[in-house]
Amino acid sequence: MITPSANFVSTDLGRLYVRRSGTGPPVVLWHSLFVDSRSWGPLADALAQDRTVYSIDGPSHGKSGAVRHDFTFAEVVVAAEQALDRLDLTEPVDWVGNAWGGHVGIRLATGSRLRTLTTIGTPVQGFNLREKFTMAWPLVHLYRFTGPSGFIMKQLFDSLLGAESIAAQPELAETVMASFRDADRKAMFHAMRSMMLKRNGIEDLLPRIKVPTLVMPVRDDITGWRPDEARQTCAVIPNCRVEAVAGTGHISPLLIDRDRVLQSITELWASVAAK
């Protein structure tokens, strides 16, 4: 049995909580917005059989420090780099990002901090005006006034997890949902406003990605970013492949298609090691 350890690292966006498990080459996991590192569930344990897994709670999420003001993606990337430094991860690491974590990873992959990049359920386009005003803006501001009400919980996790994932993995789904329910309300509001309403498209960064990349779209993602769009994304990344995974939301593959996710990631790493 692998016994994890945990510690905090200081960054310009407060202390970040890091759960470490396993031994071997390092892999860093960064979760989706709204949830925390517990969303990786058994996937993190499976990776830790051969790797040292660093599961990071992003700013204002999980056990990390609450940031009670708006912040930018550039600041999050700096915080991620500072976390790698504090963890003595000075050599390039393998990065696995779910949704928000994929956005952070894409930005890091234009530099020298990563060996490989895997994104899971990470759309690269920003919200258009219709999406901002009909989906993102109402969610953010309703949360501001009501917190994680039953209505918000249902709307959010129907899209992030989906009924199939919740039914298939009820305990893990409840853990994932609890991470949002238990978050510092003011800090989560600022994180949602900063990372949703102020998120721009990052298509211009794709040709600048310097590392082998695995893009994993969710096959029936109801938010609209599906395999055909992922293939268009991958086409402009110098060294990229696409592997579609099952689910209806950004997080659902971690619950219902874990074996495929694990196999695809390890195949990417093996292909890099063979060169």
Side-chain angles (χ1 to χ4, degrees), residues 8-270:
F8 290 87
V9 294
S10 61
T11 77
D12 291 348
L13 283 179
R15 296 197 313 163
L16 299 186
Y17 173 80
V18 184
R19 180 181 183 270
R20 174 177 173 171
S21 58
T23 58
V27 54
V28 178
L29 309 183
W30 191 293
H31 55 82
S32 172
L33 193 67
F34 311 111
V35 299
D36 61 32
S37 57
R38 289 176 290 175
S39 62
W40 296 105
L43 177 63
D45 298 331
L47 291 171
Q49 297 297 321
D50 302 298
R51 293 287 185 127
T52 303
V53 178
Y54 297 87
S55 303
I56 300 178
D57 283 352
S60 296
H61 289 70
K63 296 181 181 179
S64 291
V67 183
R68 297 189 177 93
H69 57 77
D70 287 4
F71 50 89
T72 66
F73 268 99
E75 290 175 304
V76 175
V77 170
V78 169
E81 292 175 326
Q82 291 170 336
L84 296 180
D85 291 339
R86 308 296 191 264
L87 294 167
D88 293 324
L89 297 175
T90 55
E91 295 297 317
V93 300
D94 295 308
W95 183 278
V96 181
N98 180 207
W100 181 31
H103 284 278
V104 180
I106 287 170
R107 289 165 169 83
L108 288 171
T110 64
S112 60
R113 299 306 301 257
L114 305 190
R115 187 184 81 113
T116 66
L117 168 66
T118 297
T119 72
I120 304 169
T122 301
V124 298
Q125 74 274 21
F127 287 120
N128 60 40
L129 285 177
R130 182 187 61 81
E131 291 168 332
K132 279 189 177 182
F133 286 107
T134 62
M135 296 188 299
W137 192 93
L139 175 68
V140 171
H141 288 281
L142 184 59
Y143 176 83
R144 180 181 186 181
F145 293 109
T146 70
S149 65
F151 175 79
I152 286 181
M153 292 293 295
K154 177 171 175 50
Q155 295 298 311
L156 183 61
F157 286 97
D158 277 356
S159 62
L160 290 176
L161 294 176
E164 179 186 2
S165 299
I166 294 171
Q169 297 286 344
E171 291 186 8
L172 180 53
E174 174 54 34
T175 298
V176 172
M177 291 187 284
S179 63
F180 177 69
R181 190 185 302 120
D182 299 340
D184 181 288
R185 182 167 158 182
K186 184 174 182 180
M188 179 57 71
F189 163 70
H190 284 289
M192 292 167 65
R193 185 164 73 173
S194 300
M195 301 290 98
M196 289 181 69
L197 295 185
K198 300 180 181 181
R199 175 170 67 84
N200 297 317
I202 51 175
E203 295 91 337
D204 61 312
L205 297 180
L206 302 179
R208 296 165 49 196
I209 292 177
K210 300 179 178 180
V211 299
T213 299
L214 171 64
V215 174
M216 306 186 79
V218 182
R219 195 171 295 122
D220 298 306
D221 196 330
I222 64 172
T223 65
W225 197 79
R226 296 187 179 183
D228 57 337
E229 294 172 285
R231 285 188 282 271
Q232 294 173 19
T233 294
C234 210
V236 297
I237 298 174
N239 184 356
C240 180
R241 70 182 182 90
V242 174
E243 182 67 42
V245 287
T248 58
H250 296 337
I251 303 175
S252 49
L254 304 183
L255 281 70
I256 63 171
D257 208 6
R258 190 181 307 121
D259 290 345
R260 183 182 297 275
V261 172
L262 176 64
Q263 179 181 348
S264 299
I265 293 171
T266 53
E267 286 176 354
L268 170 68
W269 295 342

